Every structure is written in structure tokens, then in C-alpha cells.
Amino acid sequence: MSLSSVSASASSSSHPLSSYGWDEGWDVEFAPYTEQGLLPGRVVRVDRGQCDVVTTGGLVRADTAFVTPHDPLRVICTGDWAAVDRDGDPRFVRTYLPRRTAFVRSTSSSRSEGQILAANVDHAIIAVSLAVELDLGRIERFLALAWESGAQPLVVLTKADLVPDVTGLSYLVQDVETTAPGVQVLPVSSASGEGVDVLTAVLSGGTSVLLGASGAGKSTLANALLGEDVMDVQATRDVDGKGRHTTTTRNLLALPGGGVLIDTPGLRGVGLWDAESGVGQVFSEIEELAEECRFHDCAHESEPGCAVLAAIEDGSLPERRLESYRKLLRENQRIVAKTDARLRAEILRDWKQKGAEGRAAMQAKRGRMR
């Protein structure tokens, strides 16, 4: 390593924002804005056209009017690195640095717009409560979005103290591990402290976003990681394990053991948004099997020489996994088609072709019956 590289690295590690994730790469990216007299800062909260930004001069409140484009995926969000006015009333965010990663889901609106939940994330923590029956399909959905974002997923099974039987808990962990190939699955109890130290060590290097449904125990887990009651916590209903949204905004918080955490509101809807590669990552074993199928365009339905169907028959691949894989691929295709005219045309042609083939087969069958 050259002397200049050592100097740059030392300068980055001693930067006032290093505890919030500032590094040499961001230093290089921000250089043009330094020349313009702007101040670097990380967005820790966005609220009604304004945001809180932690800067080298402390926490400031800034207006986002200059970075409010028509594209909802380009609005400023928690986790962004921003270029802020050094002074003024009000201060403005002038721009933000290109994102390294972005966690995006589709909205529930009829326009099927994407919604960015967090930016520049290294770890996507998917909180799943053990107080209720595991919903493996929902876990797969979260994982697809996490892989697509560019972050490393991690499944945290919260409220592990509610499963005192060690053998039973191990079976639950195995079920999720089967659903999440290549992903660490960690049982954690905020009440007893089980697993919290391991999770703290994993998250100490980088930015993490905490995701999950309402009642998954995210706020309690965030408090355990922070070492203090920063997030409000409300009781969870015993009937279905659901709770009210205790977190209403996305907040970025520095962890005492290093790293930063973005806590998010409970997500009732987790729609895919152009997440084909993420789906492929979640179901990597199916995609690997598909490479062994006789036909390269095998649909894994009734084709001869289908390695995927063979795996289902011999029990090495659960049929539920294939059904979930198909469901998420179809959903993702519909979302992409709404914004891609070429894909819409391809889907329409495919439907027409299948319809014509079906009618031809029916006519041939009727002809043989006469």
C-alpha cells in the first residue's frame, strides 16, 4: 500500500462521520461538492419534505425541495449521503451521492410505483416472530427484495424465549434455513439476551436495515441493540401476533458497538419491484436444477426430462418451494410489464400463442372423437 493510500485511509477513519459509515470511497465521491462549499452528511430521517442530516457540524434540519424529482425512486431517503448548505435558514439538500445499494418495494397503489425504503445498506435484517406460526412465503418475499437490493440478508427469529424446547427451536431454524439458502438464520431473544451479542458483532461493520411485519419485535430488538429504550414498544395481540406500528418513520441510529441501524415501520405489504435476480437467489437450488432440464425453456410443469420435477418426486425439493418460486416470478413479471411496453407485448403474444395452441388441441381432440 502506498503512503498516499495509507494517508487517505487514515483520514477517512478519523473523519467525524466515520461512525455513520463514511469511508474513503465516499470521500472521493464528495470531492466535487467540497469544492462547491457544501457540507457532507448522512440522512437519518425524512419527514414531510424535510430531513434530519448528521453532518461534520452536528445534526441539521434541511429542506429537500431541490431533490424531489417525479421519479419516486429518486427522492431522498434514510441512509443517503447528502450535500447540504453550510449555513442558511432554511438549509437545503442540494444533491445526494450515487447509492451503492437500495432497498425497494412496490407500493400498493394502482400505478405500481416503487418505494425506496433505505439506501446504502450492507445488511438487511429480516425480523420474524416465533410467537406465531412461521410464514415461509413471506420470508422468501423479504429475501428476494433483500438480495435484489445488493445487501446481505440475515434472518433473525425474534422472541426465541417463547420456544423453550431446544429441539423444537432447532427444527424451526432448519425450516427457515431451507427457505433461505446462503443466509444466516439467528434465533434471538431481546428478553433473555440470547443471540443479541452475536447479532451485535455481525452488524458492527456497516449499515443495517431492520425489516419485518408489524408485531415482529423490531422495536424491542432495536432497543436491545442500542442498549437503551430509544424506540417505542407496544403490546402485541396474543391472537395473531400482530401489533400497531410503533415505528412510523425510518430512522438511522448509530450502534454503540459500531455500525448503524435503520429501523423501519412494520410492513403489511411486501410487493416485489423488478426483483428477478433476487428471486433467483432465494430459489437458487431450483435454478441450479433447471440447468439440468432436457429443454432450456422448461416450465417445470409436465415436460419430459425435467430435473426440477424429478427432485420433487424424490423428495429433495419441497413442492411448496416450486409453487412459491412460480408465484413470485409471475408477480415480478406483472410489475415489470406495467412499466415495460416491450415486455407487455411479449406477455400478450405468449398468452395468444398458448390460447391458440389450446384451441388447436381441443379441435384435434374433438376430431378424434367423431
Side-chain angles (χ1 to χ4, degrees):
M1 182 181 289
S2 67
L3 184 61
S4 60
S5 298
V6 172
S7 176
S9 178
S11 174
S12 176
S13 62
S14 61
H15 194 279
L17 294 174
S18 59
S19 62
Y20 282 89
W22 186 265
D23 58 29
E24 184 180 346
W26 295 123
D27 210 25
V28 172
E29 290 270 7
F30 199 82
Y33 304 110
T34 300
E35 295 175 359
Q36 297 174 28
L38 297 175
L39 198 64
R42 192 154 199 198
V43 178
V44 298
R45 186 171 181 268
V46 179
D47 179 32
R48 300 177 183 177
Q50 293 186 313
C51 61
D52 294 333
V53 186
V54 59
T55 72
T56 52
L59 187 68
V60 302
R61 185 76 167 165
D63 197 294
T64 65
F66 287 97
V67 284
T68 309
H70 294 298
D71 184 352
L73 296 182
R74 298 182 65 187
V75 299
I76 197 144
C77 78
T78 304
D80 274 324
W81 285 102
V84 186
D85 292 332
R86 285 188 176 272
D87 49 35
D89 186 19
R91 292 195 191 191
F92 287 94
V93 173
R94 297 294 172 173
T95 188
Y96 59 84
L97 300 183
R99 294 161 177 159
R100 293 178 181 174
T101 62
F103 193 95
V104 180
R105 69 164 178 171
S106 69
T107 65
S108 57
S109 69
S110 59
R111 293 178 295 178
S112 297
E113 294 178 336
Q115 178 190 22
I116 182 164
L117 299 180
N120 302 311
V121 172
D122 301 297
H123 307 285
I125 312 167
I126 300 165
V128 180
S129 173
L130 290 178
V132 293
E133 185 177 353
L134 289 176
D135 186 341
L136 298 179
R138 176 178 282 271
I139 295 173
E140 289 163 344
R141 184 178 291 271
F142 269 113
L143 287 169
L145 290 174
W147 282 120
E148 192 68 33
S149 75
Q152 171 66 45
L154 168 65
V155 178
V156 172
L157 302 179
T158 65
K159 308 180 184 181
D161 55 291
L162 298 181
V163 188
D165 178 49
V166 176
T167 302
L169 180 60
S170 68
Y171 284 145
L172 291 172
V173 171
Q174 289 175 16
D175 286 344
V176 178
E177 287 176 338
T178 302
T179 300
V183 176
Q184 182 178 4
V185 179
L186 181 65
V188 170
S189 169
S190 301
S192 68
E194 176 190 353
V196 174
D197 55 342
V198 178
L199 183 59
T200 298
V202 172
L203 306 185
S204 63
T207 298
S208 305
V209 62
L210 187 53
L211 306 155
S214 298
K218 296 191 306 304
S219 295
T220 304
L221 179 59
N223 286 335
L225 292 169
L226 291 162
E228 55 182 320
D229 292 340
V230 175
M231 312 306 297
D232 291 333
V233 178
Q234 291 182 358
T236 302
R237 296 196 300 250
D238 292 332
V239 176
D240 55 11
K242 295 181 180 179
R244 284 183 279 172
H245 293 296
T246 54
T247 303
T248 57
T249 58
R250 289 175 284 280
N251 304 282
L252 186 148
L253 304 157
L255 296 172
V260 292
L261 178 71
I262 299 175
D263 192 22
T264 65
L267 301 174
R268 287 194 176 92
V270 195
L272 300 185
W273 180 260
D274 197 5
E276 183 176 356
S277 64
V279 173
Q281 188 78 28
V282 176
F283 299 93
S284 57
E285 81 278 29
I286 295 179
E287 301 221 328
E288 289 173 4
L289 285 168
E291 294 178 0
E292 302 174 12
C293 292
R294 181 183 302 177
F295 304 109
H296 75 278
D297 59 348
C298 183
H300 320 307
E301 293 177 348
S302 58
E303 296 87 347
C306 176
V308 174
L309 294 180
I312 288 178
E313 289 178 5
D314 67 24
S316 59
L317 176 67
E319 188 171 359
R320 188 205 66 80
R321 286 281 284 171
L322 179 58
E323 292 174 354
S324 184
Y325 175 64
R326 288 170 174 162
K327 178 182 178 181
L328 292 183
L329 281 181
R330 286 195 302 268
E331 177 183 328
N332 190 70
Q333 189 179 49
R334 287 196 299 270
I335 290 294
V336 174
K338 289 181 179 180
T339 57
D340 187 331
R342 180 186 58 79
L343 182 58
R344 283 200 303 271
E346 289 179 0
I347 293 174
L348 183 59
R349 283 197 301 271
D350 184 53
W351 284 346
K352 288 182 177 179
Q353 181 180 348
K354 287 185 177 179
E357 290 173 352
R359 288 192 295 272
M362 183 61 70
Q363 289 176 356
K365 182 177 180 181
R366 288 173 178 171
R368 288 195 299 269
M369 292 174 63
R370 288 177 180 174

